[in-house]
């Protein structure tokens, strides 16, 4: 099957409206608590890593609580690691014994997650690692990342990579068949020659699309610097959205013809994806709210990560951040859902970089949903606040988004000389009504 642009446009719609999701990295690595890469970075052998398998017993696992936290914070979808690079499966795969049901956890953790998140009305996504540091037929010695990459014992070892591919395709089939309607499949990741057809990606994606016709697929079956979604002729396995990691693209993302490409920045709250007990470098909630707005103002989504601990708890700092997001979103989510850049390249609008429209103001950012333009004021101005890029005759009304109160346009000796600009009186108080981001809602005339 080739890449079908029309079908892509249809299935991506909900995603571009949703704008905010929860990433969940959880697995055996929550016990050593040094992040999900610890097996590789510390070169831990299977034998040493086995203790975590025997011990894994997240008695406090309550996916309904996670789902409520996500929902209240304004998230519209979630993505859980069904299998990460260490090869451990949170789901009850028939193709391996290396799974949660065989640990003291004793249950299919993916099923419980999918049921809970669906129950509160969130879309359900699964992350699946293409890489596998447990499977005997995944390259060990000489691989760039494998925990045994330097272990001479594996030097002459004969792999049958096809056996791994059979396993990997088989597990993806299980995920597609056994867990109801999936909204996202998030494959991770390609590197060196481990990419595209090495994964038998065309066949894999054909299978996925035949079993889950509406599912969105990320773009990591290809390496990020070879992403064919950014070209005019994407591969069938190019995926549906680009997924930059730990970075927000400076100007949004466009293909070589200048059309906006759907994207989702995945970002950690602290410095790790998987639970890391010593990592207290949490971003302040205010920063996370502003980064969400930044993503939307550039036409993208934010996939914000939590790394539950070995008992199944969300870290307390993450809960606090989610709560702060909740308060802000409760008042201001209209400036997020269904919104895109101020330039008017909202979901699917099709305008390139440099399109005319509303530029980013000095004091913050702009998001837009059709006739509604949202000025995000993150730093107060001295005196009247300019509504950059708008003409007075275009404006129907201006309101404070949080409470619907009327805001008046200022026309006096201070603004007189700026004939082409529109100014607003926000408040006499130098402190903004919402110190993080006060949102001004401008309705344009129809
Ligand atoms: C990476 C990492 C991984 C993490 C992911 C999230 O590629 O390997 O640990 O799951 O990206 O984007």
């Amino acid at each position: 099957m080739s890449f079908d642009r029309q079908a892509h446009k249809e299935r991506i719609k909900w995603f571009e409206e949703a704008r905010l999701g929860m990433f969940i990295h959880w697995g055996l690595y929550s016990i050593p608590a040094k992040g999900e890469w610890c097996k590789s970075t510390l070169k831990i052998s299977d034998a040493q890593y086995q203790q975590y398998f025997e011990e894994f017993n997240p008695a406090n696992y309550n996916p309904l609580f996670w789902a409520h936290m996500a929902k209240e914070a304004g998230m519209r979808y979630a993505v859980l690691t069904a299998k990460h690079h260490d090869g451990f499966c949170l789901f009850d795969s028939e193709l391996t014994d290396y799974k949660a049901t065989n640990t003291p956890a004793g249950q299919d953790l993916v099923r419980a997650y999918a049921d809970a998140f669906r129950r509160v009305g969130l879309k359900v996504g699964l992350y699946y690692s293409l890489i596998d540091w447990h499977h005997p037929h995944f390259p060990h010695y000489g691989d760039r990342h494998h925990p045994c990459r330097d272990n001479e014992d594996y030097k002459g070892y004969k792999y049958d990579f096809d056996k791994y591919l059979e396993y990997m395709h088989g597990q993806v089939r299980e995920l597609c068949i056994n867990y109801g309607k999936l909204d996202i499949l998030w494959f991770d990741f390609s590197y060196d020659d481990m990419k595209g057809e090495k994964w038998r990606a065309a066949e894999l994606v054909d299978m996925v699309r035949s079993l889950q016709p509406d599912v969105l697929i990320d773009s990591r079956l290809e390496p990020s610097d070879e992403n064919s979604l950014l070209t005019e002729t994407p591969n069938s396995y190019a995926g549906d959205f680009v997924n930059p990691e730990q970075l927000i693209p400076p100007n949004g993302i466009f293909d070589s013809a200048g059309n906006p490409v759907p994207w989702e920045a995945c970002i950690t709250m602290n410095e790790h994806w998987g639970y890391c007990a010593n990592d207290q470098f949490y971003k302040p909630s205010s920063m996370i709210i502003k980064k969400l707005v930044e993503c939307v103002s550039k036409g993208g989504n934010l996939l914000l990560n939590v790394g539950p601990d070995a008992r199944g708890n969300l870290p307390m700092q993450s809960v606090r951040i989610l709560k702060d997001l909740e308060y802000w979103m409760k008042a201001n989510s209209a400036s997020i859902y269904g919104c895109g850049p101020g330039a008017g390249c909202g979901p699917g609008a099709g305008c390139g970089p440099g399109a005319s429209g509303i530029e980013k103001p000095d004091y913050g950012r702009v998001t837009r949903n059709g006739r509604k333009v949202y000025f995000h004021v993150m730093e107060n101005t001295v005196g009247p606040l300019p509504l950059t890029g708008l003409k007075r005759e275009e404006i129907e009304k201006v309101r404070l988004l949080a409470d619907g109160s009327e805001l008046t346009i200022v026309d006096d000796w201070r603004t007189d000389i700026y004939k082409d600009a529109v100014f607003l009186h926000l408040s006499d108080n130098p402190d903004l009504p919402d110190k993080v981001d006060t949102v001004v809602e401008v309705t344009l005339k129809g």
Side-chain angles (χ1 to χ4, degrees), residues 61 90-92 108-116 118 178-180:
Y61 178 45
L90 296 186
F91 66 108
D92 189 11
D108 186 328
L109 303 166
V110 168
R111 180 166 318 284
Y113 150 82
D115 290 349
R118 256 181 223 129
N178 295 335
Y179 297 90

Side-chain angles (χ1 to χ4, degrees), residues 121-189:
L122 295 181
K123 302 256 186 206
V124 168
L126 293 176
Y127 168 110
Y128 182 83
S129 173
L130 300 165
I131 298 165
D132 195 312
W133 300 327
H134 182 76
H135 198 279
H137 292 288
F138 191 92
H140 294 45
Y141 186 79
D143 175 77
R144 188 133 66 101
H145 304 299
H146 200 286
C148 301
R149 57 193 170 274
D150 306 324
N151 186 338
E152 304 263 334
D153 293 350
Y154 286 97
K155 213 167 177 176
Y157 191 89
K158 287 270 166 286
Y159 302 99
D160 186 346
F161 193 60
D162 280 335
K163 284 216 171 96
Y164 174 65
L165 291 181
E166 237 168 77
Y167 171 79
M168 187 264 270
H169 283 224
Q171 286 206 317
V172 173
R173 168 180 284 275
E174 291 183 318
L175 292 175
C176 288
I177 287 176
N178 295 335
Y179 297 90
K181 182 176 186 294
L182 296 182
D183 299 295
I184 299 179
L185 260 180
W186 219 98
F187 294 111
D188 193 35
F189 64 79

